[in-house]
Amino acid sequence: QSALTQPPSASGSPGQSVTISCTGTSSDVGAYNYVSWYQHHPGKAPKLIIYEVSKRPSGVPDRFSGSKSGNTASLTVSGLQAEDEADYYCTSHAAGSVFGTGTKLTVL
Amino acid sequence: DVHLVESGGGLVQPGGSLRLTCAASGFSFSTSWMNWIRQAPGKGLEWVASMKEDGTKEYYVDSVRGRFTISRDNAESSLSLQMNSLRVDDTAVYYCARDWGFSSFDLWGQGTLVTVSS
């Protein structure tokens, strides 16, 4: 149950794209197509933005997209907007669940 | 509207106990896999425990297994977390969350703060 590895920070200017990685093992990320991503603004409840690697819940803009290759999943935010500045976490279904270490996205 | 509302947080001394409760409304609680997730100050999110819809299966992160117990009352649409032998590193905001399926947490409460300190 080791945390999935994410870069501590990422940044981009408005309108640009940024990709955040989430690296696990063959026992979690690599084993299942059950990777989710969450957007977390401090002081608020986290919000599900991607589930089952690449699916978006209703209401989530298509600027958010997900993918996976082997033991690494990725979240891409296109057309960056100021309100995208937040912490982002991945999770993988394993024996229970495991979260990533989190990435602070800064919109320059 | 669908809601999850946590309660029961507070200040407790190391070695003490606390019971958190999550009240659910607006959705079919009895058909939902439920979870507790926490965030320590300045740290990331950490999944803590989960329980199957009918209460027949439960899972825990290694660091709380044997000290925490998750339970549910489907008749009352409530989820609980009994926390015993609390340690300083259990200090965190504890969230109740619904699992849409395979670790897709689509509904979260606002959280309740647990502080373990002498």
Side-chain angles (χ1 to χ4, degrees):
Chain A
Q1 291 179 326
S2 298
L4 308 177
T5 301
Q6 297 180 231
S9 62
S11 63
S13 299
Q16 289 187 330
S17 294
V18 65
T19 296
I20 299 170
S21 63
C22 169
T23 301
T25 69
S26 57
S27 297
D28 39 58
V29 175
Y32 312 99
N33 285 325
Y34 296 128
V35 176
S36 300
W37 289 90
Y38 303 84
Q39 179 189 64
H40 190 200
H41 289 104
K44 301 182 73 174
K47 176 185 177 182
L48 177 68
I49 55 173
I50 295 287
Y51 67 101
E52 292 180 15
V53 175
S54 60
K55 298 178 181 179
R56 282 186 307 277
S58 175
V60 174
D62 60 6
R63 302 186 296 103
F64 294 91
S65 61
S67 63
K68 192 188 87 166
S69 177
N71 297 337
T72 298
S74 298
L75 171 73
T76 297
V77 186
S78 306
L80 273 173
Q81 299 181 4
E83 59 262 36
D84 297 334
E85 185 161 297
D87 297 321
Y88 290 83
Y89 295 89
C90 60
T91 62
S92 175
H93 187 69
S97 303
V98 58
F99 275 91
T101 49
T103 299
K104 182 176 181 57
L105 174 60
T106 300
V107 180
L108 302 171
Chain B
D1 276 0
V2 294
H3 286 294
L4 294 171
V5 179
E6 304 92 337
S7 60
L11 174 64
V12 61
Q13 292 188 337
S17 298
L18 211 56
R19 185 178 182 87
L20 305 183
T21 300
C22 170
S25 61
F27 67 97
S28 177
F29 180 82
S30 62
T31 60
S32 300
W33 198 300
M34 298 298 297
N35 297 258
W36 288 100
I37 294 161
R38 67 184 179 184
Q39 184 175 35
K43 304 293 186 181
L45 297 172
E46 179 183 40
W47 170 80
V48 174
S50 64
M51 176 162 269
K52 193 174 180 228
E53 299 93 331
D54 59 5
T56 58
K57 289 186 178 180
E58 55 197 84
Y59 297 93
Y60 299 92
V61 67
D62 288 346
S63 59
V64 309
R65 189 175 294 113
R67 299 188 299 122
F68 291 11
T69 302
I70 188 173
S71 62
R72 64 191 295 158
D73 183 339
N74 285 344
E76 295 292 328
S77 295
S78 69
L79 181 75
S80 296
L81 185 68
Q82 178 65 43
M83 304 186 294
N84 298 330
S85 303
L86 281 160
R87 308 190 303 220
V88 172
D89 62 359
D90 293 319
T91 295
V93 174
Y94 285 73
Y95 295 98
C96 169
R98 180 178 71 179
D99 189 343
W100 196 0
F102 299 105
S103 303
S104 300
F105 307 115
D106 70 319
L107 180 64
W108 297 67
Q110 286 301 311
T112 187
L113 176 62
V114 172
T115 303
V116 185
S117 175
S118 55

